[in-house]
Amino acid sequence: MEKQTLPLSPNQLLLRGCSLRNTEYIVGAVIFTGHETKVMMNSMNVPSKRSTLERKLDKLILALFGCLFSMCLIGAIGSGVFINRKYYYLGFFGDVEPQFNPDNRFVVAILTMFTLITLYSTIIPISLYVSIEMIKFIQSTQFINKDLNMYHAESNTPALARTSNLNEELGQVEYIFSDKTGTLTRNLMEFFKCSIGGEIYGTGITEIERGRAERSGLKVDEGKSPTTAVHEKGFNFDDPRLMHGAWKNERDPEICKEFFRCLALCHTVLPEGDESPEKIMYQAASPDEAALVTAAKNLGFFFYRRTPTTVMIRESHVEKMGKIQEVAYEILNVLEFNSTRKRQSVVCRYPNGRLVLYCKGADTVIYERLGDGNHDMKRLTREHLEQFGSAGLRTLCLAYRELNTELYEKWNEKFIQAKSSLRDREKKLDEVAELIEKDLVLIGCTAIEDKLQEGVPACIETLSRAGIKIWVLTGDKIETAINIAYACNLINNDMKQFIISSETNAIREAEDRGDTVEIARVIRHSVKQDLNRCLEEAQQYLRTISGTKLALIIDGKCLMYALDPNLRANLLNLSLNCSSVVCCRVSPLQKAQVTSLVKKGARKITLSIGDGANDVSMIQAAHVGVGISGLEGMQAVMASDFAIAQFRFLTDLLLVHGRWSYLRLCKVITYFFYKNLTFTLTQFWFTFQTGFSGQRFYDDWFQSLYNVIFTALPVIIVGLFDKDVSASLSKKYPELYREGIRNMFFKWRVVAVWAFFSVYQSLIFYYFTTAASQAGHNSSGKIFGLWDVSTMAFTCVVVTVNLRLLMACNSVTRWHHLSIWGSILAWFVFIFIYSGIMTPYDRQENLFFVIYVLMSTFYFYLALLLIPVAALLGDFLYQGFQRWFYPYDYEIVQEIHKNDPEDSSRIELLEVANHLTPDEARSYAISQLPREKSKHTGFAFDSPGYESFFASQQGVFAPQKAWDVARRASMRSQQRKPRT
């Protein structure tokens, strides 16, 4: 047998899942680096995602292509109709080019169609995609990645945008799917309580118990911890009945001994550092394992060394009080933990030859594999599990089985065969494990506390006010999940809770009978009845005036049947009517299925957030995936679209960056559509005056540089710096986020308004310019020609579309002024140079000195003043009417805070690649930031009608009437407080 050699020491290499006694296989080496476990063979690529806004943009581009085709078709038909020999002055005699041959009108129409396609091609905003990608890239790298409000100083971790495709998608999220452990909680596990032989040990009070008591109005007396209590990372337990060898005086010390040995032996932890209890460090695949081994150490069973074949334990007080002995246990097999098995086992041999299988795992899988008898202890331990779960603690059951040599040898042969199999290895290993993981003897259970992250309750409350519904998908017990949901304000006592659980008498009786077909039938029938009942009750509650919020709690077994094609419609309807959903005991696959159910079934924009490898499928299934760079490795981060260090940073990521990105890109897209349509329509109107011949209205260079120089930079600046309200106000009024969920700024109605004003302005540009030039003449007495009129019209277009963008800005900075006035100035500089270098011998000889001729006339200055004013008058009146009578929510907030002092709490930038400490880096970055003043613009109407906005925050519908608004406006107070 070929042996693979790895340059690793025994303390760096863990050989998992093989018999170390009979074979030299090295399969599936797992390398531990800090808290990170990398299974190299399980890497996967992140799927490509496109934002909803981009997909809607594609439809808009298709609409523009349809508009282009329609314009060209009109021109082609017109050319076929217009061409006629009666227009003798056009020279349609003798040999005529096919494009102008009156004898073949069909060919004329076809050739004109192709000519007009090239002429009107400017209606397609090709540069839009380049501008959007540039804006998104800068938003990601300069704004999101360097936001100090999303920088975690303790771990020196900034936010990270791993893609720039989904910035605006962050501003439209309606459903968040969150893992619990490491996402809502800190993933800093502490051994807190335990149950051994039907007896509870541990005296602490959890955060959940304290919060529950406060909600009930009870006062919690925690008491003083004894001076002899031992506290360290991973261990927050104290009970004088177990500490310092006192367990020998308990009713059943032997089962206590088995409990401690199970903790010390059943794991895959690697010890590092000095072999002393004070200095040793444990490197574990998960914080839970490290906490359990730490607990065994503090309870007198100190694991201090591992070799490929043995585990060394320093046991205290076993034979007699005060005696310490070192015992070497031979590890024969390791049956690994995975999300399907939900348990882990080791087969070990004592120095005296005793063979024992120790197993730890979820209570559901351990109880299924217990032997007959000892019913009282099973009942007591189940009660203790429910009690621990109600306190918000993570529980594991411990069990063992005595093995004889003959049984083990037969089983080990099958295990080796399965391990060496090249096909379906994992499946065969699970089947072999089932042969030995049965007839177990229950030892007890552990309870580990994982505290909530800082700011999670406030974050969830803020996101809920923003109209975002949060679902928690966890593998914990239903009691644990419910109490965590209470602790983080996801569920409260005012909510109507629908609980669909497999812990019912009918299901338990079916499980006791052991018939799998009967179990499936009973659970499916129970789930169907529960879904129908809950859906009827939900509809009744929603019809009431009180508007009671609803919450759904469902466990993994019931969820498996609820996701059946026949029931998933009811599950989806019930879930969408609930403000909060908690799914317990779910597998990674079920997390992805639930996410896809809402994403595809409800067609809502979803976000998934998690921190571990078991969250990868859920993260990739959602529209937006967010990874928490926590203690469970980097798998979630590597599969995500955005990475943050704490759950509370979602507030800034969604309500600030996401919302700003959505608003900015909506404005960029609609403005691009407007300016290109306006420019192209002036050429279209000119076509009617030229017999649909395809004659150009503008010079080629005008048409080429319109999108590249004269209107390019201002829209990029708006896409980067425009803000409707500040970051602090975005978080103060999270209801503003609802406009993004409803997609208020990129509806077809909004596009239609921009299109209407494009048509209006293009008519102004063309007909006002041509009409005014008919009686005009230059200083030499000549009337204006084509290039004089087109240059005048193009000047008005450039000035107007740039000023229109200035009207659309919510905030104006020096960058806005530089880009807009600089673009207008660039046009004049260009035309001065271009018309000056033309000579009469050039092809475009009529452009020679055209701008100089125009600027020598009064007509030029009058037209440059009046035409943009006339063109923008309609926009001005429409914006004023809309802002006064039908204001957006952000416009109301602008009016409320228009007299506030300048907000200095802008998004600060963090240079990550510096050599300062996190605190120094934060202080330095803030001190070095440039300060940019930003003034709100718009119409200074003291807009009334704010009652409806604040009423909506309280969940009350208060419609506005235009006459009520006008009446309140006329009655408003005229008194103003003077500024100091």
Side-chain angles (χ1 to χ4, degrees):
M1 184 66 64
E2 182 181 356
K3 179 166 65 176
Q4 179 183 356
T5 303
L6 295 177
L8 301 172
S9 64
N11 282 343
Q12 292 174 312
L13 177 64
L14 178 62
L15 305 180
R16 309 179 77 178
C18 59
S19 173
L20 304 177
R21 190 169 58 90
N22 297 326
T23 184
E24 293 181 335
Y25 297 138
I26 297 180
V27 287
V30 177
I31 303 171
F32 293 89
T33 305
H35 294 288
E36 181 178 350
T37 307
K38 295 180 179 177
V39 184
M40 307 305 293
M41 68 183 80
N42 291 331
S43 61
M44 58 192 302
N45 295 324
V46 179
S48 177
K49 298 180 181 179
R50 295 190 71 210
S51 69
T52 306
L53 198 67
E54 282 187 352
R55 290 193 290 270
K56 292 182 178 178
L57 173 59
D58 293 343
K59 296 179 181 178
L60 177 60
I61 298 299
L62 290 176
L64 287 177
F65 271 107
C67 181
L68 172 63
F69 178 78
S70 301
M71 293 166 61
C72 294
L73 185 62
I74 292 173
I77 295 174
S79 67
V81 173
F82 175 82
I83 200 78
N84 198 307
R85 294 190 186 277
K86 69 179 181 180
Y87 302 113
Y88 61 90
Y89 50 84
L90 296 179
F92 294 146
F93 304 104
D95 293 333
V96 182
E97 296 180 12
Q99 186 174 354
F100 304 106
N101 189 350
D103 297 331
N104 198 340
R105 296 175 183 270
F106 179 76
V107 174
V108 171
I110 294 298
L111 294 177
T112 303
M113 180 109 177
F114 286 106
T115 301
L116 295 179
I117 287 175
T118 60
L119 195 62
Y120 299 155
S121 61
T122 52
I123 197 175
I124 307 300
I126 300 174
S127 60
L128 171 61
Y129 286 96
V130 179
S131 300
I132 286 178
E133 289 303 319
M134 187 184 305
I135 291 169
K136 287 184 177 182
F137 177 76
I138 296 175
Q139 286 175 348
S140 299
T141 58
Q142 301 301 316
F143 298 160
I144 295 178
N145 291 1
K146 296 184 178 181
D147 184 0
L148 280 179
N149 290 325
M150 294 192 294
Y151 170 70
H152 192 232
E154 295 179 12
S155 60
N156 192 22
T157 306
L160 175 64
R162 302 189 68 249
T163 179
S164 60
N165 291 340
L166 304 173
N167 296 352
E168 69 277 15
E169 199 87 329
L170 293 171
Q172 297 181 273
V173 173
E174 188 170 356
Y175 286 88
I176 293 179
F177 300 92
S178 174
D179 179 39
K180 183 186 77 68
T181 304
T183 304
L184 299 177
T185 61
R186 301 178 184 179
N187 206 16
L188 297 175
M189 309 300 179
E190 292 182 334
F191 187 88
F192 199 73
K193 289 185 179 182
C194 64
S195 171
I196 306 175
E199 187 72 26
I200 287 184
Y201 296 93
T203 59
I205 298 176
T206 65
E207 290 181 343
I208 306 298
E209 291 174 311
R210 190 180 302 110
R212 186 170 56 196
E214 291 175 356
R215 289 193 300 270
S216 303
L218 303 176
K219 186 176 180 180
V220 179
D221 184 13
E222 300 186 33
K224 297 182 179 180
S225 62
T227 57
T228 57
V230 178
H231 297 286
E232 65 172 282
K233 181 181 178 181
F235 188 75
N236 186 20
F237 174 87
D238 181 67
D239 195 316
R241 295 175 295 171
L242 292 185
M243 302 298 294
H244 309 295
W247 55 269
K248 291 184 67 68
N249 300 322
E250 287 299 288
R251 183 185 66 224
D252 190 353
E254 288 301 318
I255 198 168
C256 293
K257 193 189 306 180
E258 294 294 344
F259 182 88
F260 302 145
R261 282 176 175 158
C262 185
L263 295 182
L265 293 171
C266 186
H267 58 79
T268 56
V269 176
L270 291 175
E272 287 186 356
D274 294 340
E275 295 179 354
S276 62
E278 296 80 15
K279 298 182 179 180
I280 197 166
M281 299 288 293
Y282 291 127
Q283 301 297 337
S286 68
D288 299 80
E289 278 206 323
L292 294 176
V293 175
T294 302
K297 178 187 73 173
N298 286 284
L299 293 170
F301 287 73
F302 173 35
F303 161 63
Y304 65 93
R305 187 186 305 163
R306 179 188 290 276
T307 69
T309 57
T310 60
V311 166
M312 302 296 296
I313 307 294
R314 192 173 296 159
E315 300 180 350
S316 305
H317 319 295
V318 174
E319 295 185 0
K320 63 179 182 179
M321 291 296 294
K323 183 178 180 180
I324 299 176
Q325 58 185 10
E326 296 185 355
V327 184
Y329 294 91
E330 185 180 1
I331 304 300
L332 303 177
N333 305 87
V334 177
L335 306 179
E336 297 184 15
F337 174 90
N338 59 46
S339 58
T340 304
R341 284 170 39 80
K342 296 183 181 179
R343 62 189 182 277
Q344 179 186 38
S345 300
V346 296
V347 179
C348 62
R349 176 182 281 120
Y350 279 49
N352 60 8
R354 180 191 178 198
L355 285 174
V356 181
L357 177 138
Y358 286 111
C359 183
K360 67 180 181 185
D363 58 309
T364 52
V365 296
I366 296 296
Y367 266 75
E368 290 174 354
R369 288 159 179 80
L370 295 178
D372 296 331
N374 209 357
H375 297 292
D376 290 340
M377 182 179 170
K378 293 178 185 177
R379 178 181 54 80
L380 288 172
T381 305
R382 188 183 290 274
E383 293 175 359
H384 297 164
L385 285 166
E386 294 176 358
Q387 182 177 335
F388 293 152
S390 299
L393 299 172
R394 296 165 56 87
T395 58
L396 282 176
C397 281
L398 308 183
Y400 75 100
R401 180 187 180 185
E402 296 279 356
L403 303 175
N404 58 60
T405 305
E406 181 181 357
L407 173 66
Y408 171 73
E409 292 293 345
K410 290 181 180 179
W411 175 85
N412 192 48
E413 290 178 2
K414 297 178 182 178
F415 182 80
I416 294 172
Q417 292 176 0
K419 197 66 181 178
S420 59
S421 176
L422 299 180
R423 298 181 62 183
D424 298 329
R425 178 182 300 170
E426 297 298 327
K427 179 181 178 181
K428 292 179 180 179
L429 284 174
D430 291 347
E431 292 174 353
V432 172
E434 291 285 350
L435 299 176
I436 199 170
E437 291 176 331
K438 62 181 182 179
D439 297 329
L440 301 177
V441 178
L442 183 64
I443 303 173
C445 65
T446 62
I448 294 177
E449 183 181 24
D450 186 13
K451 296 181 180 179
L452 284 176
Q453 289 183 13
E454 177 186 352
V456 166
C459 175
I460 289 180
E461 182 181 1
T462 301
L463 295 177
S464 298
R465 289 174 56 197
I468 300 174
K469 298 178 178 63
I470 301 174
W471 295 22
V472 174
L473 313 177
T474 177
D476 286 339
K477 291 173 60 65
I478 192 168
E479 296 85 3
T480 305
I482 290 176
N483 284 282
I484 289 292
Y486 266 106
C488 60
N489 288 341
L490 192 64
I491 295 177
N492 55 55
N493 290 329
D494 296 330
M495 288 184 172
K496 169 60 180 177
Q497 299 178 20
F498 300 118
I499 299 178
I500 302 177
S501 172
S502 60
E503 298 294 324
T504 63
N505 294 330
I507 296 176
R508 284 182 178 176
E509 290 175 1
E511 290 177 340
D512 291 339
R513 290 192 292 269
D515 187 349
T516 55
V517 177
E518 177 68 11
I519 294 173
R521 187 192 64 80
V522 171
I523 297 178
R524 182 180 290 105
H525 179 70
S526 175
V527 170
K528 183 177 181 180
Q529 283 188 327
D530 288 342
L531 284 175
N532 293 332
R533 172 183 55 82
C534 293
L535 190 57
E536 290 178 2
E537 292 185 22
Q539 292 172 351
Q540 292 177 1
Y541 274 99
L542 292 174
R543 284 194 291 264
T544 59
I545 301 177
S546 61
T548 305
K549 290 187 176 182
L550 310 176
L552 172 65
I553 300 99
I554 184 171
D555 67 8
K557 282 185 180 179
C558 296
L559 182 62
M560 178 174 64
Y561 293 97
L563 290 171
D564 184 87
N566 296 325
L567 297 178
R568 67 171 58 190
N570 288 345
L571 174 64
L572 181 62
N573 291 334
L574 176 60
S575 302
L576 295 181
N577 288 323
C578 294
S579 301
S580 303
V581 177
V582 179
C583 300
C584 320
R585 294 292 196 190
V586 292
S587 65
L589 177 60
Q590 287 178 320
K591 291 182 179 181
Q593 289 174 336
V594 171
T595 305
S596 298
L597 177 67
V598 177
K599 177 183 177 181
K600 298 177 181 179
R603 297 188 180 275
K604 304 292 185 181
I605 297 181
T606 58
L607 180 148
S608 292
I609 179 170
D611 72 314
N614 60 335
D615 302 318
V616 168
S617 57
M618 174 180 70
I619 288 173
Q620 294 181 346
H623 290 93
V624 182
V626 178
I628 299 285
S629 51
L631 301 178
E632 290 196 11
M634 298 295 290
Q635 294 94 334
V637 170
M638 297 303 293
S640 67
D641 306 303
F642 299 89
I644 55 179
Q646 296 280 288
F647 183 87
R648 68 177 184 273
F649 295 157
L650 273 183
T651 302
D652 286 274
L653 186 64
L654 299 182
L655 303 190
V656 179
H657 293 286
R659 186 174 165 278
W660 280 351
S661 296
Y662 167 71
L663 291 174
R664 291 165 176 169
L665 287 176
C666 287
K667 191 168 295 183
V668 167
I669 293 172
T670 51
Y671 175 76
F672 251 99
F673 167 75
Y674 149 79
K675 72 182 183 70
N676 281 34
L677 185 60
T678 301
F679 176 72
T680 307
L681 284 176
T682 55
Q683 175 71 62
F684 180 66
W685 307 134
F686 178 67
T687 303
F688 287 86
Q689 306 297 319
T690 61
F692 307 96
S693 61
Q695 168 65 36
R696 291 178 297 108
F697 184 52
Y698 299 116
D699 180 70
D700 288 340
W701 281 103
F702 297 1
Q703 186 167 323
S704 300
L705 298 180
Y706 176 75
N707 282 320
V708 177
I709 294 179
F710 306 139
T711 60
L713 186 58
V715 69
I716 293 177
I717 295 299
V718 169
L720 293 176
F721 298 112
D722 190 56
K723 292 189 298 184
D724 56 345
V725 295
S726 65
S728 58
L729 290 178
S730 295
K731 291 183 285 188
K732 182 178 180 180
Y733 300 100
E735 292 80 8
L736 295 174
Y737 189 84
R738 297 173 185 261
E739 292 177 328
I741 295 176
R742 299 193 299 267
N743 193 26
M744 296 290 291
F745 303 105
F746 196 51
K747 292 183 175 181
W748 287 110
R749 180 182 62 81
V750 177
V751 175
V753 171
W754 282 92
F756 171 79
F757 285 110
S758 293
V759 175
Y760 164 76
Q761 291 183 10
S762 64
L763 290 170
I764 294 291
F765 294 143
Y766 179 73
Y767 286 104
F768 275 38
T769 305
T770 55
S773 64
Q774 289 178 358
H777 55 81
N778 58 23
S779 58
S780 62
K782 295 181 179 180
I783 63 173
F784 291 120
L786 169 63
W787 303 113
D788 299 294
V789 176
S790 66
T791 302
M792 185 67 246
F794 190 82
T795 303
C796 293
V797 170
V798 171
V799 172
T800 304
V801 297
N802 279 287
L803 292 179
R804 178 62 183 89
L805 183 62
L806 193 64
M807 289 177 59
C809 294
N810 287 299
S811 59
V812 179
T813 67
R814 65 171 178 267
W815 303 111
H816 291 77
H817 287 296
L818 286 174
S819 61
I820 291 174
W821 300 114
S823 296
I824 296 174
L825 179 62
W827 155 246
F828 283 102
V829 171
F830 166 78
I831 192 59
F832 266 97
I833 297 175
Y834 183 59
S835 62
I837 64 176
M838 299 295 295
T839 67
Y841 301 100
D842 291 325
R843 181 173 59 87
Q844 297 292 345
E845 60 182 37
N846 289 319
L847 276 174
F848 178 66
F849 259 50
V850 64
I851 191 64
Y852 301 97
V853 173
L854 282 173
M855 294 188 69
S856 65
T857 64
F858 176 72
Y859 155 78
F860 173 82
Y861 300 100
L862 185 63
L864 188 61
L865 176 64
L866 295 182
I867 291 178
V869 170
L872 294 175
L873 180 62
D875 296 85
F876 182 83
L877 294 175
Y878 173 78
Q879 287 191 7
F881 180 83
Q882 175 265 319
R883 188 180 180 94
W884 195 18
F885 290 101
Y886 304 100
Y888 288 111
D889 291 344
Y890 77 85
E891 292 174 332
I892 296 176
V893 174
Q894 284 179 351
E895 294 294 336
I896 294 172
H897 295 275
K898 67 180 181 180
N899 294 323
D900 287 359
E902 203 67 43
D903 182 21
S904 61
S905 61
R906 65 189 295 273
I907 297 298
E908 298 91 356
L909 305 181
L910 168 66
E911 291 293 344
V912 179
N914 57 56
H915 303 287
L916 303 177
T917 65
D919 292 338
E920 291 172 342
R922 185 184 182 92
S923 301
Y924 177 78
I926 294 176
S927 66
Q928 296 297 318
L929 289 176
R931 299 298 176 184
E932 177 62 43
K933 291 186 178 181
S934 172
K935 298 184 177 66
H936 290 303
T937 60
F939 303 96
F941 296 128
D942 224 347
S943 179
Y946 299 159
E947 293 88 342
S948 64
F949 174 71
F950 292 107
S952 66
Q953 297 189 44
Q954 303 299 324
V956 179
F957 177 67
Q960 291 189 68
K961 296 290 192 299
W963 50 87
D964 291 336
V965 175
R967 177 177 54 81
R968 290 193 295 269
S970 64
M971 297 173 59
R972 66 181 184 273
S973 173
Q974 300 296 323
Q975 295 180 355
R976 301 293 185 198
K977 293 183 179 180
R979 291 190 180 182
T980 57

